[in-house]
Amino acid sequence: MADNTNPGNFANRPKEEVQAAAQTGGQTTGVGGFASMDPDKQGKVKNMSLEDKLEKIRSPKLQNQRETSVVLSAVEDTLRDQKHGQSPTAYFAALLALLGQALVGSNGTTIKELASAVVYLLDLVAEHVPAPLLRSKFSQILTSLAPVLTSEDAEASLLRSSIGCLESLLVVQDAAAWALPHTQIGPRRAVAGLLLIASNPKPKVRKRAQEAIIAVLKNPPPCPSLDHPVANMCAETALRTASDVLAISDARNKKTKASTHDQRQPDLLHALHLIKIIASAAGGWPSKKIEPLCELLMAVSRSNNEYLTMSAFEVFEVLFVGMADQISSPKLPRLMEAISELKPSRDDSQLLPPWLAVISRGYDVSAQISREETFQELPRLFDMVSAFLSSSSHEIRVSASECLISFLVNCIPDTVILEPSVYDEKTLERLVLAAESLLSVRYQTAWMEVFNVEAALFQVLKWRVSTLARKIVHTIGELRASDSFNGKKEADAVLGSAIGAMGPQAVLETLPLNLIQPQKGQPGRAWLLPLLRDNVINTELSHFRTEFVPLSEAMYQRVIDHGESEKTVEIKIFETIVHQTWALFPGYCNIPLDVTNAFDQALAELLSNLLYSQPNLRTNICRGLQTLVESNQEILAVEVDKKVLQLQSRVTKSQAQSNLDHLAQFAGNLLAVLFNVYSQTLPQYRGHILQCINAYLSITPEAEVLETFTRVTDMLESSLKELTSQPPGEKQPQKEVSPNQMPPTSHTLMDLIITISIYLPLPTFPRLLTLTSQILPLNHDAQLQKKAYKLIPRLATSANGALALQTRSEDLQSLLLSSAPTASAPARRDRLLAIATAIDHLPPADLHFIPSVLSEIVIATKEVNEKARSASFDLLVLMGRRMSAGGTIEQAKIPHMGNDAPTVPASLEEFCTMVSAGLVGSTPHMVSASITALTRILFEFHAELQRSVIEDFISTIDLFLSSPNREIVASCLGFTKVAVTALPKEIVEPKLQTLVPGLLGWSREHKGRFRTKVKHIFERMIRRFGVAIIEQYTPEEGKPLIHNIRKSKERKKRKKSEVAAATAAGELEGDEQTDKKARFESEYEEAIYGSEDDSDSNSASSDIGRTDPAAKSPKRSSNNNSKNKKEAKGTYISNPPNADPLDLLSPSALSHISTTKPAPLTLKHPRLKTKTTRDPENGKLVFGAAATAANDEDVVMADEPGDEATLEGGINAYVEAIRGRDAVQRGRGGRLKFSNKRRRREEMEGDGEGEGEGDWGKEGAVRKERSGKGGFGSVGKGDKRGMGKGEKKGDPKMQRRGLGVGKVRGGRVGKAGGRR
């Protein structure tokens, strides 16, 4: 055995390789079982000893494990009586003696319960038994288990345990045992049985047999062959099974002319899965069976069944993955040769796409093993696959192009691009020539796919194709310039890839722009400028200076020569070219290759002049200058291999550092220019300038930064002196600056100081704080105050700034406390952020600052500004976390506290006590804010607070529910909702006895949506605690609310089930099935404002105690809604009964087509709303048939002559609906506006029941009678709508309806303006 060099045996492999294989844990097989377990679970199973496994059996938790426990107990008692140790060998011997008795009883039958228990225990013990003992007992155990394995009625649990025993026996067999033929009792016969069971219809049994086959094949005996001795037999059996099933399936399909989805498909899937298992074992698929396997898989791939095709590809994938290692890699060439020989016909659209996919994946694996050899084969493969691009099938062309792209991406090594040899360069030339041939007329139908291949060629080969692929660029450029060419978008994509790979200089040498001095016969290519803008990167900056700066000057000179006269189209084109030219500048500045040579004093002066003189070019110039710095900084910050970095950018880290050092020489002058330009630019256009300033400050030497800061600070202090020197009467609040007006100089200087602050050294921070202290008291300039507060969070983003905030924390605290009275409302949010920054950097001994500013933070929770409120809530949470971290609070240092106040330790409970002090505030606003703050704290820290504290909170808020102040009660409702939804049930449930009556006191209050809020709280209570508990504490007057909620919930449940049924039946459209999106940005907002169903809260049973028809018959309402939705989806034709059939080709046919079901074409008189009438002789009311007969005289049928329901009438109605006085119009902001004139007219029409009131020709009389005293009146020019004659706009009686008039309920408005 020592002379055996079989690499398939772990004993012959290096120790490191064995450890690496052991670390995989079988995860790469992906076939389930132990391999598919979680890594943690695998470790637990592997490390579990035999004693641990037996201990779990001794204390069974399931009923079916009790028999096993009894058998184990009997075995242990026997071993104990015979004084044998409880070793694996002793257990194995005892169980082996029981095996014969269990499988063959006294009457010759199997005792199922005993057999299952014995075999299960034998399976557990066998893997711990020495291998020689297992080999000696192989025949005995196999003979005993054979009846079970071959029985069709055997239980699944017994089969699985028997398979486990076989696995333990087979993995320890030596080469001599495997050499026995399968006709004798030996390992081969056992494996044959496992292969048969591997196709068992029972899933768990089949899976266990497959796992056993994997284990056997992965543990070959010491032998010279790479494959397991039984691998050929397994492969042959699996192939034969799959071929037989496939033949039966094909015969059935030919006979019945049916699809491939028949009853034999599961058998074929199982056979393919067995093949995949054998191929995934150690050593891979046997070499002698590769050709038959490829033929079988290609035949399966021809199927229309997508599951079969996917299974075949999975087998190929397993084959390729198994051959990616050094042991099995010699099989790969033979596999690829076999696949190549199975090349289908050029027009076989069914088989060719999967064959191309397999080819591309195979050579991907080949490139991983031997990159150089595969790369040399690439031109031949390229030619072979390119032939399929001339196919008439679109699917074949797409598959061929994807295969070619896969070759380019996976089969070209990085060394060919970085350091190519002479032979590599010749291979590249052949490859590029093959790509050029794809642009011939032969492949014209596949040019869209060819363009994708060409784009991939440029992206992969990068700058190596700058001299090789110019013909490709020229050909595609000529096609792009042709007016009759339809693939301009695809051609632009290829040219863009060429620009990024070859560089703009090589592309423009092949396709010149021809804009300054157009050559005869050469078209202008201004369309290249947008392509250059989007794709230029990592190129020479000098090319921009030599190519595009002269172009910009020439175009701009033509604009200047035009003078002040009106601009022509040609002049506008010149201006556009100038703008497009400078739009290229940021791309040229993205990792340029020649910064040290191209960026000199002349270029810096040119850019400075343009920044001053051309405001419309400032954005592109600033972006370019910023990119020039940041792109080099990114290279220094990235952590990748040197070769990878060179392949991506061709700039090393040392070159990037030298580029930044070179740019730092110009930083001082550029900053001066940028500062001046910034002060001359309107605020809405300053963002890019400030970003550019920030980039150059990061590379400016510290001395120059300090000098710049000193100059700016001196100017700002002078400006502040001018502001503070004004007399008190002249200091007016700063007006809002117009968008087209320059802001004050102090604002501009403060922006620059904020930008510079993070690059300053530590000694300058005292002056910064002094400057801030001068600005914060200026409450008449809110914008300047906001900028001063923004300085503090800005400092925290740098290391020096954070250190300064910690060392000068006392000064910062004093500054924030002293500036509280002068803080303006617009600066509130920024002040809160500054306080948060100060608390972040607060020393543990200075926690007295938190109670000093706590009242301000609590009041801020009621701010009108949403951002300020959010900042206050976040600050409360930050304070709570800081207090819970520990420390001391010197209360004597808190304002308005005595010097003898004690020092208390910081804790979360102490923080809650501080906040709750606001509950005794003097104003309702303070009390409400304190409750809101406690709500946020409770939601965030309820898991950390003591139960007694939470119970005190709930009891206190329960008292405030009886407050007459609505603001306080609104906050209490929010607190109650958070308590109900977030707190544990055992805390809230005892408080329901007082909470429920308190909430019901506001259940009938509609103002402030109190009633809706209370209902939402009760919905949450019922959902969490149940209806019975809530009703127990609900008084009688509140029971209708609970019943209403319960009915609404039942109605919603029924509606949901109906919608689900309609969705399952396919009756609802996709947009009706979409779920409701989340409407809240945080969990706290959802807890406060969310409800169980906001959509149903307003529609379902809105008024408690009132009769709601929808509530009485929810099912009918739901059905009607569903029916209306389905009807709305249809299309209907409206045509009079006696009219001619509708001509759908007529231009007027559209007026007869509607998306809603048309009503019967009958027009009733407006005033006939009852079934009563008056006798014309005596004026008495007539009921019944007489009334109907009388009414029939006034009915006008739609099909009578002279009716308006004709085609012309339909068109007129359509025009009236679109352009009439009642048409829907769009108002400010695009919102729809609906006119209520139609509603007024219908109301007046329905009220006019007197004689002559139905005649709308007398509209003025009707209006006068309606209003009593000229109420509506005619609105003439200059009159006010709704005012009578002599009434003025300021008249108190005209402010709102009914002012000064007593309310009278019921009755109609009579002629005299009263009610009747």
Side-chain angles (χ1 to χ4, degrees):
M1 185 177 293
D3 298 334
N4 194 343
T5 59
N6 176 22
N9 190 354
F10 278 166
N12 299 323
R13 298 189 188 181
K15 181 178 179 181
E16 294 77 14
E17 186 177 351
V18 174
Q19 291 177 349
Q23 290 175 358
T24 61
Q27 296 182 58
T28 56
T29 61
V31 292
F34 182 79
S36 61
M37 289 183 183
D38 296 334
D40 296 339
K41 192 173 182 180
Q42 287 180 358
K44 291 179 181 179
V45 174
K46 288 188 295 185
N47 297 328
M48 186 180 293
S49 63
L50 177 61
E51 183 60 30
D52 295 336
K53 297 177 183 178
L54 296 178
E55 184 61 33
K56 295 183 67 176
I57 296 175
R58 293 188 186 103
S59 55
K61 297 180 180 179
L62 301 177
Q63 185 66 28
N64 58 358
Q65 295 176 350
R66 297 191 182 276
E67 184 68 24
T68 307
S69 177
V70 171
V71 173
L72 177 61
S73 178
V75 170
E76 290 179 342
D77 291 342
T78 302
L79 294 177
R80 196 177 301 111
D81 294 341
Q82 297 178 1
K83 297 182 179 181
H84 294 298
Q86 294 183 353
S87 62
T89 305
Y91 278 112
F92 181 75
L95 292 171
L96 197 58
L98 281 175
L99 182 62
Q101 302 176 16
L103 296 178
V104 182
S106 59
N107 56 356
T109 59
T110 301
I111 306 175
K112 293 183 179 180
E113 293 79 5
L114 181 59
S116 299
V118 172
V119 176
Y120 178 74
L121 291 172
L122 191 63
D123 182 19
L124 288 182
V125 174
E127 60 180 332
H128 301 277
V129 176
L133 179 59
L134 290 177
R135 285 196 290 266
S136 63
K137 298 296 181 180
F138 176 79
S139 299
Q140 179 184 351
I141 298 176
L142 180 59
T143 304
S144 301
L145 296 178
V148 176
L149 296 172
T150 57
S151 175
E152 296 181 357
D153 301 331
E155 293 185 355
S157 59
L158 182 57
L159 278 174
R160 293 200 304 271
S161 300
S162 302
I163 293 170
C165 292
L166 278 184
E167 177 185 340
S168 300
L169 293 172
L170 291 172
V171 295
V172 299
Q173 298 301 309
D174 53 12
W178 286 111
L180 295 175
H182 65 277
T183 56
Q184 299 181 13
I185 298 178
R188 288 182 176 270
R189 176 176 290 189
V191 172
L194 288 177
L195 291 171
L196 183 63
I197 300 174
S199 301
N200 193 290
K202 298 178 181 179
K204 293 185 178 180
V205 175
R206 184 173 63 248
K207 181 179 179 182
R208 187 65 186 93
Q210 293 168 356
E211 291 175 353
I213 293 173
I214 293 176
V216 172
L217 294 177
K218 285 189 173 182
N219 292 276
C223 60
S225 175
L226 292 176
D227 300 327
H228 196 284
V230 81
N232 285 329
M233 186 187 78
C234 294
E236 184 177 353
T237 303
L239 282 176
R240 183 171 60 251
T241 303
S243 301
D244 294 343
V245 175
L246 182 61
I248 294 174
S249 178
D250 293 341
R252 183 184 297 272
N253 293 335
K254 290 180 181 179
K255 183 177 180 180
T256 60
K257 297 182 180 180
S259 65
T260 57
H261 299 277
D262 63 332
Q263 61 182 358
R264 305 297 295 178
Q265 299 305 312
D267 295 340
L268 187 54
L269 287 173
H270 297 162
L272 290 175
H273 190 62
L274 180 59
I275 292 174
K276 183 171 69 172
I277 286 173
I278 297 173
S280 63
W285 189 262
S287 304
K288 298 179 181 179
K289 303 297 180 182
I290 288 179
E291 292 83 355
L293 176 61
C294 292
E295 293 179 3
L296 174 66
L297 294 178
M298 296 307 297
V300 173
S301 301
R302 191 186 296 270
S303 171
N304 292 328
N305 190 330
E306 59 180 1
Y307 297 105
L308 291 178
T309 305
M310 290 173 58
S311 298
F313 283 147
E314 288 176 0
V315 176
F316 274 119
E317 180 68 20
V318 169
L319 287 174
F320 291 135
V321 171
M323 296 179 183
D325 57 9
Q326 296 296 327
I327 298 176
S328 303
S329 58
K331 300 179 183 179
L332 184 60
R334 187 170 183 177
L335 175 61
M336 297 308 302
E337 182 181 354
I339 296 174
S340 301
E341 291 176 355
L342 295 174
K343 182 173 67 173
S345 172
R346 191 181 68 174
D347 297 325
D348 191 347
S349 60
Q350 193 173 8
L351 191 57
L352 195 54
W355 181 82
L356 289 171
V358 171
I359 283 287
S360 63
R361 180 66 180 113
Y363 280 101
D364 179 15
V365 176
S366 177
Q368 297 175 17
I369 298 173
S370 55
R371 288 185 172 273
E372 296 297 333
E373 291 78 1
T374 307
F375 174 67
Q376 302 304 329
E377 289 287 324
L378 196 54
R380 180 186 64 82
L381 298 174
F382 211 86
D383 293 336
M384 178 185 70
V385 178
S386 299
F388 298 112
L389 289 172
S390 60
S391 174
S392 58
S393 173
H394 176 69
E395 295 181 359
I396 294 177
R397 296 198 300 268
V398 171
S399 299
S401 63
E402 291 177 352
C403 183
L404 292 175
I405 294 173
S406 176
F407 287 161
L408 293 172
V409 173
N410 299 317
C411 300
I412 299 179
D414 295 339
T415 55
V416 173
I417 300 174
L418 294 175
E419 298 174 355
S421 62
V422 177
Y423 200 66
D424 292 339
E425 292 180 351
K426 292 182 178 180
T427 305
L428 285 177
E429 292 178 2
R430 292 170 55 197
L431 188 61
V432 172
L433 289 175
E436 288 179 6
S437 65
L438 298 179
L439 295 172
S440 62
V441 182
R442 175 187 175 187
Y443 303 105
Q444 185 172 0
T445 56
W447 270 354
M448 298 302 104
E449 291 78 17
V450 168
F451 284 166
N452 295 332
V453 178
E454 305 290 359
L457 178 73
F458 287 115
Q459 293 170 4
V460 171
L461 297 183
K462 301 183 181 299
W463 62 90
R464 287 298 168 193
V465 293
S466 57
T467 57
L468 300 176
R470 296 200 175 193
K471 188 175 181 180
I472 298 177
V473 174
H474 182 268
T475 303
I476 296 178
E478 294 297 327
L479 288 174
R480 170 64 175 79
S482 176
D483 295 334
S484 59
F485 184 65
N486 297 325
K488 288 183 169 57
K489 182 179 179 180
E490 290 78 8
D492 287 346
V494 180
L495 293 176
S497 300
I499 292 170
M502 302 170 58
Q505 183 174 359
V507 174
L508 291 179
E509 288 176 357
T510 307
L511 299 173
L513 292 174
N514 292 328
L515 295 178
I516 300 179
Q517 296 178 352
Q519 299 179 4
K520 188 176 182 181
Q522 294 291 334
R525 296 187 178 90
W527 51 267
L528 274 174
L529 293 175
L531 292 179
L532 291 167
R533 177 198 61 203
D534 297 336
N535 296 280
V536 169
I537 186 175
N538 197 207
T539 185
E540 292 82 5
L541 182 59
S542 58
H543 180 254
F544 181 83
R545 297 185 60 181
T546 58
E547 179 74 19
F548 290 103
V549 170
L551 174 63
S552 174
E553 294 175 350
M555 296 295 108
Y556 188 68
Q557 185 62 40
R558 295 180 185 180
V559 174
I560 294 176
D561 295 343
H562 184 71
E564 299 293 335
S565 57
E566 185 179 357
K567 294 181 180 179
T568 62
V569 176
E570 186 178 15
I571 297 302
K572 293 180 180 179
I573 292 175
F574 293 154
E575 291 180 343
T576 303
I577 292 176
V578 172
H579 190 272
Q580 289 181 341
T581 300
W582 281 99
L584 307 179
F585 184 63
Y588 275 93
C589 292
N590 195 347
I591 320 180
L593 303 176
D594 55 349
V595 175
T596 55
N597 296 327
F599 197 93
D600 53 8
Q601 187 66 28
L603 180 60
E605 292 176 357
L606 173 64
L607 297 176
S608 301
N609 293 332
L610 289 175
L611 286 172
Y612 281 120
S613 60
Q614 297 293 329
N616 58 337
L617 300 181
R618 288 174 182 172
T619 301
N620 291 322
I621 295 176
C622 289
R623 282 181 53 206
L625 291 173
Q626 178 185 351
T627 305
L628 196 61
V629 174
E630 293 180 350
S631 61
N632 286 280
Q633 289 177 340
E634 290 175 0
I635 292 178
L636 290 176
V638 70
E639 295 293 337
V640 295
D641 186 67
K642 182 178 180 181
K643 290 185 177 180
V644 175
L645 185 62
Q646 188 176 0
L647 184 65
Q648 292 176 351
S649 61
R650 289 187 286 175
V651 175
T652 62
K653 290 191 175 184
S654 59
Q655 292 174 343
Q657 185 61 52
S658 63
N659 292 339
L660 293 176
D661 295 340
H662 178 74
L663 293 173
Q665 301 175 7
F666 302 92
N669 295 331
L670 285 176
L671 285 174
V673 174
L674 290 171
F675 283 176
N676 293 332
V677 172
Y678 184 83
S679 62
Q680 300 171 7
T681 307
L682 293 175
Q684 60 267 30
Y685 305 116
R686 286 180 168 182
H688 53 275
I689 303 177
L690 207 59
Q691 293 174 1
C692 185
I693 292 173
N694 187 55
Y696 277 86
L697 283 171
S698 64
I699 62 172
T700 304
E702 185 177 301
E704 295 186 16
V705 173
L706 188 58
E707 181 183 355
T708 304
F709 171 72
T710 303
R711 290 201 307 267
V712 175
T713 306
D714 292 341
M715 295 173 63
L716 179 59
E717 289 176 348
S718 301
S719 179
L720 292 178
K721 288 180 181 179
E722 295 178 1
L723 290 175
T724 55
S725 62
Q726 296 179 1
E730 297 181 5
K731 293 183 181 179
Q732 300 295 333
Q734 185 70 29
K735 297 182 180 179
E736 185 176 354
V737 180
S738 173
N740 296 324
Q741 181 181 356
M742 296 295 296
T745 306
S746 58
H747 293 191
T748 302
L749 295 174
M750 195 63 198
D751 288 339
L752 297 177
I753 288 178
I754 293 174
T755 307
I756 299 172
S757 60
I758 62 174
Y759 303 105
L760 293 175
L762 281 175
T764 60
F765 285 96
R767 187 174 184 183
L768 270 179
L769 291 178
T770 303
L771 188 64
T772 306
S773 62
Q774 296 176 8
I775 298 175
L776 292 183
L778 304 178
N779 55 357
H780 61 278
D781 195 342
Q783 294 299 320
L784 186 60
Q785 198 177 67
K786 287 177 63 176
K787 295 179 186 300
Y789 280 121
K790 287 180 180 180
L791 176 63
I792 298 173
R794 169 76 172 174
L795 290 175
T797 59
S798 67
N800 287 340
L803 183 60
L805 292 176
Q806 292 177 358
T807 55
R808 306 191 66 85
S809 177
E810 294 184 3
D811 297 340
L812 182 60
Q813 295 172 37
S814 303
L815 176 62
L816 291 174
L817 291 175
S818 61
S819 61
T822 58
S824 57
R828 184 74 61 191
R829 172 178 174 270
D830 296 291
R831 174 175 170 80
L832 294 175
L833 295 178
I835 293 175
T837 304
I839 292 176
D840 267 335
H841 299 83
L842 206 62
D846 290 350
L847 293 182
H848 61 273
F849 178 70
I850 292 179
S852 301
V853 297
L854 184 58
S855 59
E856 180 182 359
I857 310 306
V858 171
I859 288 291
T861 59
K862 305 289 288 185
E863 280 286 336
V864 178
N865 187 289
E866 181 181 359
K867 294 182 178 180
R869 288 199 309 272
S870 300
S872 64
F873 286 135
D874 295 340
L875 188 50
L876 282 173
V877 174
L878 177 63
M879 287 178 170
R881 297 196 184 283
R882 193 62 199 272
M883 291 284 287
S884 63
T888 57
I889 302 175
E890 299 182 21
Q891 297 188 16
K893 295 184 178 180
I894 301 176
H896 310 294
M897 293 286 287
N899 295 330
D900 56 346
T903 300
V904 296
S907 64
L908 193 57
E909 286 73 16
E910 181 67 22
F911 179 63
C912 294
T913 304
M914 295 176 183
V915 178
S916 60
L919 297 177
V920 296
S922 58
T923 61
H925 187 71
M926 182 63 191
V927 176
S928 175
S930 300
I931 297 174
T932 304
L934 285 174
T935 304
R936 183 66 181 93
I937 296 170
L938 179 68
F939 180 81
E940 188 70 27
F941 300 104
H942 63 86
E944 305 173 28
L945 287 171
Q946 298 179 4
R947 179 169 179 172
S948 59
V949 176
I950 298 176
E951 291 177 348
D952 292 343
F953 281 169
I954 299 176
S955 302
T956 305
I957 301 304
D958 190 11
L959 296 176
F960 279 105
L961 274 175
S962 59
S963 172
N965 188 276
R966 297 179 186 276
E967 185 179 7
I968 295 177
V969 174
S971 299
C972 291
L973 292 179
F975 181 93
T976 307
K977 193 170 185 181
V978 169
V980 168
T981 56
L983 295 182
K985 294 175 63 175
E986 57 271 12
I987 297 179
V988 182
E989 190 169 347
K991 303 294 183 180
L992 293 178
Q993 185 175 2
T994 56
L995 278 177
V996 171
L999 291 172
L1000 287 173
W1002 297 93
S1003 63
R1004 296 184 178 275
E1005 182 62 50
H1006 290 268
K1007 291 185 178 180
R1009 299 182 73 244
F1010 276 31
R1011 181 191 161 281
T1012 304
K1013 293 177 181 177
V1014 171
K1015 184 179 178 182
H1016 292 169
I1017 294 175
F1018 273 100
E1019 287 176 356
R1020 296 296 183 96
M1021 285 183 176
I1022 291 173
R1023 185 170 62 179
R1024 193 171 189 199
F1025 302 102
V1027 180
I1029 296 179
I1030 303 302
E1031 285 184 344
Q1032 179 182 354
Y1033 302 117
T1034 304
E1036 289 298 327
E1037 60 271 14
K1039 292 293 179 66
L1041 173 63
I1042 307 302
H1043 297 330
N1044 175 265
I1045 293 174
R1046 179 176 53 82
K1047 291 181 180 180
S1048 300
K1049 191 174 183 180
E1050 294 174 355
R1051 180 167 56 253
K1052 179 187 174 184
K1053 187 177 181 180
R1054 286 195 300 268
K1055 184 178 179 181
K1056 189 175 181 180
S1057 61
E1058 292 172 0
V1059 171
T1063 303
E1067 297 178 1
L1068 293 182
E1069 298 294 334
D1071 55 349
E1072 298 177 22
Q1073 302 177 21
T1074 55
D1075 295 331
K1076 182 170 60 177
K1077 296 182 178 179
R1079 301 181 296 110
F1080 305 103
E1081 295 182 356
S1082 66
E1083 295 180 0
Y1084 174 70
E1085 291 185 1
E1086 184 175 2
I1088 288 291
Y1089 306 113
S1091 65
E1092 186 173 6
D1093 190 352
D1094 292 340
S1095 61
D1096 291 346
S1097 61
N1098 297 326
S1099 61
S1101 304
S1102 297
D1103 296 325
I1104 306 300
R1106 298 184 184 180
T1107 302
D1108 190 358
K1112 288 185 178 181
S1113 56
K1115 184 176 181 180
R1116 175 171 57 83
S1117 175
S1118 177
N1119 292 339
N1120 291 340
N1121 291 338
S1122 178
K1123 182 178 179 182
N1124 293 338
K1125 285 183 179 181
K1126 287 191 287 185
E1127 289 179 356
K1129 298 296 181 181
T1131 305
Y1132 301 90
I1133 296 177
S1134 175
N1135 208 29
N1138 298 330
D1140 296 333
L1142 179 63
D1143 183 11
L1144 295 177
L1145 299 179
S1146 172
S1148 61
L1150 186 61
S1151 61
H1152 291 266
I1153 298 176
S1154 174
T1155 57
T1156 57
K1157 188 175 182 179
L1161 295 178
T1162 57
L1163 300 177
K1164 294 184 179 181
H1165 199 275
R1167 66 185 181 92
L1168 294 178
K1169 293 190 176 182
T1170 64
K1171 293 187 177 181
T1172 61
T1173 186
R1174 293 182 181 272
D1175 192 330
E1177 296 181 359
N1178 53 21
K1180 295 182 179 180
L1181 291 176
V1182 181
F1183 297 90
T1188 305
N1191 285 341
D1192 288 344
E1193 297 176 358
D1194 294 334
V1195 175
V1196 182
M1197 302 302 294
D1199 55 352
E1200 291 182 0
D1203 181 54
E1204 293 183 357
T1206 60
L1207 177 60
E1208 182 179 359
I1211 296 175
N1212 293 337
Y1214 175 76
V1215 175
E1216 179 69 16
I1218 297 299
R1219 300 181 180 178
R1221 54 185 289 182
D1222 297 331
V1224 179
Q1225 300 178 356
R1226 290 193 179 273
R1228 184 177 182 182
R1231 296 182 178 178
L1232 295 177
K1233 297 175 62 178
F1234 299 89
S1235 174
N1236 60 354
K1237 297 176 183 177
R1238 181 184 302 170
R1239 190 184 311 155
R1240 292 177 182 175
R1241 177 171 176 173
E1242 291 174 355
E1243 291 176 356
M1244 290 187 291
E1245 189 177 10
D1247 290 339
E1249 298 180 357
E1251 294 182 1
E1253 291 177 357
D1255 188 3
W1256 276 96
K1258 302 178 181 180
E1259 183 177 351
V1262 174
R1263 290 184 177 179
K1264 185 175 181 180
E1265 184 182 57
R1266 167 77 172 172
S1267 59
K1269 192 177 180 180
F1272 277 94
S1274 59
V1275 182
K1277 186 176 182 180
D1279 293 336
K1280 302 295 183 181
R1281 186 176 298 275
M1283 296 184 182
K1285 187 175 181 180
E1287 293 175 339
K1288 297 182 180 180
K1289 182 176 181 181
D1291 191 351
K1293 295 184 178 181
M1294 298 304 297
Q1295 296 301 312
R1296 59 185 177 91
R1297 183 178 178 182
L1299 188 64
V1301 180
K1303 293 183 179 180
V1304 180
R1305 298 188 180 277
R1308 293 182 178 272
V1309 179
K1311 293 184 179 181
R1315 292 185 179 269
R1316 52 185 174 91

